[in-house]
Amino acid sequence: MLNIKYELVENRKAKPDENSLGFGRYFTDHMFIMDYTDGKGWHDARIVPYGPLSLDPACMVFHYAQEMFEGLKAYRTADGTVQLFRPDKNIERMNNTNERLCIPKLDPADVLDAIKALVATEEAWVPSLEGTSLYIRPFIIATDVQLGVHPSHTYKFMIILSPVGSYYPEGIKPVKIFVENEYVRAVKGGTGFAKVGGNYACSLIGQKKAEEMGYSQVLWLDGIEHKYIDEVGAMNVFFVINGKIITPSLAEGSILPGVTRASCIELLRDMGYEVEERKLSITEVEEAYKNGTLNEAFGTGTAAVVSPMGLLDNGKEKMVINNEEIGPVAQKLYDTLTGIQWGKVEDKYGWTVKVK
Ligand SMILES: *Cc1c(COP(=O)(O)O)cnc(C)c1O
């Protein structure tokens, strides 16, 4: 058991209206912090009042972006208990990211203890309105005070929590996507498979361009040939072509291995669908569209679970998918996955973990 010191607030904040939570706008009363020092390892785990940090402006994270993060949720079930969804997968990915960024690894059991302890402390912050949840954001920053470029010798691992609203308060509406053919998100050998802030910083320009043109998200193509599909926005991507399900494989290392992606693949195979993890070119999608075999396309991720694409603009043609309506595969996945997460569908996979 991780030894955690508690310093609790005297007066808790008023909770926001569960009908207008949005995403990542409110934060709970406490946060988790643990420090790392070379020679000493990770130490001083504590749960303290949520608030600003005081950091030296020369801290390495501000200059060279040695930073990583994770994202998962706690869900309130009908009987009032609170559960996590596959936290072991996030923790495993966390250490893979750490390895890539030369950040010292964490003991997976300690991370799970920390998440459970913080969520249990903030249990009253887990909303109960349909579709709402408590978003959990673990992250690590490099805190050495000096401007030389090298892996830091000191770090802070923190966890903050944010009650978030239903992603689809008005029902699932497919979004319009722009196929980005200039900017890239990740390259082979880079950090695409790691969950790091730097990946987001360099993707903002594509997102901004797409939004200015009236699209919600970007479909990212590979960084070498601009030919193969990587991800959609900050989500993994699935296409249903002629009844078969295709998702880009993780082999190139430019794609973030989503927990939702892995869960969808397993659920789909159990439902009897054929799922292929392989390279998928934008040309193959365009040809399927022309032949009338492009049945569905959707993104997957913790925030939205499943986000169908209604229109795909490749700069030459606006491809309308499934009449801009959610398709049967995306709907079935959404219902099953959210059913397991909120405890409405039996979890025969052992994916859910009670907080206490
Ligand atoms: C976090 C993330 C995803 C989705 O991962 P989940 O574990 O399913 O939430 C997909 N792509 C990118 C770039 C991400 O950062």
Side-chain angles (χ1 to χ4, degrees):
M1 236 3 220
L2 179 65
N3 180 20
I4 303 172
K5 280 209 191 85
Y6 287 80
E7 183 198 325
L8 300 180
V9 294
E10 276 175 26
N11 297 306
R12 285 181 171 264
K13 298 176 216 172
K15 308 270 185 308
D17 178 359
E18 291 190 6
N19 285 292
S20 53
L21 291 171
F23 183 81
R25 294 196 287 131
Y26 301 98
F27 297 93
T28 66
D29 295 304
H30 301 91
M31 58 188 182
F32 173 89
I33 312 183
M34 180 157 72
D35 299 307
Y36 179 90
T37 314
D38 263 4
K40 204 169 167 187
W42 290 103
H43 60 91
D44 285 311
R46 57 208 186 268
I47 287 174
V48 296
Y50 184 93
L53 301 174
S54 175
L55 291 171
D56 192 294
C59 266
M60 289 192 62
V61 63
F62 298 134
H63 306 277
Y64 309 123
Q66 201 188 5
E67 182 268 358
M68 67 80 57
F69 70 96
E70 263 303 328
L72 66 161
K73 285 174 170 177
Y75 308 83
R76 193 177 290 284
T77 64
D79 65 11
T81 57
V82 174
Q83 62 188 25
L84 306 169
F85 182 74
R86 309 189 80 178
D88 52 307
K89 299 285 280 182
N90 294 88
I91 295 168
E92 182 190 332
R93 184 170 70 192
M94 183 165 197
N95 273 336
N96 291 338
T97 299
N98 286 353
E99 187 169 11
R100 179 63 179 80
L101 287 209
C102 302
I103 295 173
K105 291 194 179 178
L106 284 144
D107 178 341
D110 285 352
V111 181
L112 187 59
D113 283 351
I115 292 171
K116 282 182 172 177
L118 185 63
V119 174
T121 304
E122 305 292 58
E123 204 188 316
W125 280 94
V126 184
S128 45
L129 196 72
E130 167 98 26
T132 62
S133 55
L134 185 70
Y135 187 77
I136 305 167
R137 169 54 58 85
F139 64 104
I140 301 174
I141 54 172
T143 53
D144 271 13
V145 176
Q146 68 119 314
L147 299 180
V149 180
H150 68 82
S152 186
H153 303 289
T154 58
Y155 298 86
K156 270 190 196 310
F157 166 42
M158 305 185 55
I159 307 172
I160 56 175
L161 305 175
S162 172
V164 298
S166 169
Y167 205 85
Y168 299 112
E170 275 121 42
I172 302 181
K173 202 172 169 335
V175 293
K176 294 180 178 22
I177 303 292
F178 184 71
V179 183
E180 178 53 55
N181 48 24
E182 179 188 1
Y183 302 113
V184 298
R185 191 195 79 89
V187 293
K188 189 174 180 173
T191 54
F193 70 90
K195 214 164 171 79
V196 301
N199 288 347
Y200 281 71
C202 69
S203 74
L204 296 174
I205 193 165
Q207 173 69 24
K208 182 166 162 260
K209 176 177 151 191
E211 279 175 14
E212 280 166 2
M213 292 166 71
Y215 297 88
S216 311
Q217 288 289 349
V218 165
L219 187 75
W220 296 106
L221 301 180
D222 80 89
I224 296 167
E225 296 177 78
H226 292 209
K227 185 176 164 191
Y228 297 101
I229 294 166
D230 265 0
E231 297 201 53
V232 61
M235 301 180 107
N236 295 118
V237 65
F238 288 76
F239 287 83
V240 186
I241 297 178
N242 212 7
K244 221 190 275 177
I245 291 148
I246 306 160
T247 189
S249 84
L250 304 175
E252 300 297 311
S254 58
I255 292 170
L256 200 286
V259 178
T260 320
R261 175 189 180 278
S263 309
C264 285
I265 293 173
E266 202 166 331
L267 287 174
L268 286 166
R269 288 190 175 140
D270 276 3
M271 289 170 186
Y273 288 102
E274 205 179 313
V275 184
E276 292 179 356
E277 291 181 74
R278 62 167 170 87
K279 280 186 161 188
L280 173 65
S281 69
I282 187 70
T283 319
E284 187 176 339
V285 170
E286 289 159 357
E287 272 161 16
Y289 175 73
K290 280 194 200 98
N291 302 335
T293 53
L294 177 56
N295 311 130
E296 290 183 47
F298 52 89
T300 67
T302 296
V305 186
V306 172
S307 173
M309 302 181 220
L311 185 145
L312 207 50
D313 184 347
N314 61 3
K316 290 167 274 172
E317 192 171 18
K318 292 184 193 336
M319 300 180 267
V320 174
I321 305 165
N322 197 45
N323 204 20
E324 294 195 73
E325 285 162 23
I326 183 168
V329 176
Q331 185 72 57
K332 227 188 289 182
L333 270 179
Y334 182 82
D335 294 342
T336 312
L337 212 50
T338 58
I340 294 172
Q341 289 167 336
W342 274 277
K344 293 179 213 155
V345 168
E346 188 208 345
D347 173 19
K348 61 176 181 173
Y349 302 93
W351 285 343
T352 53
V353 176
K354 294 280 179 210
V355 163
K356 56 182 189 194

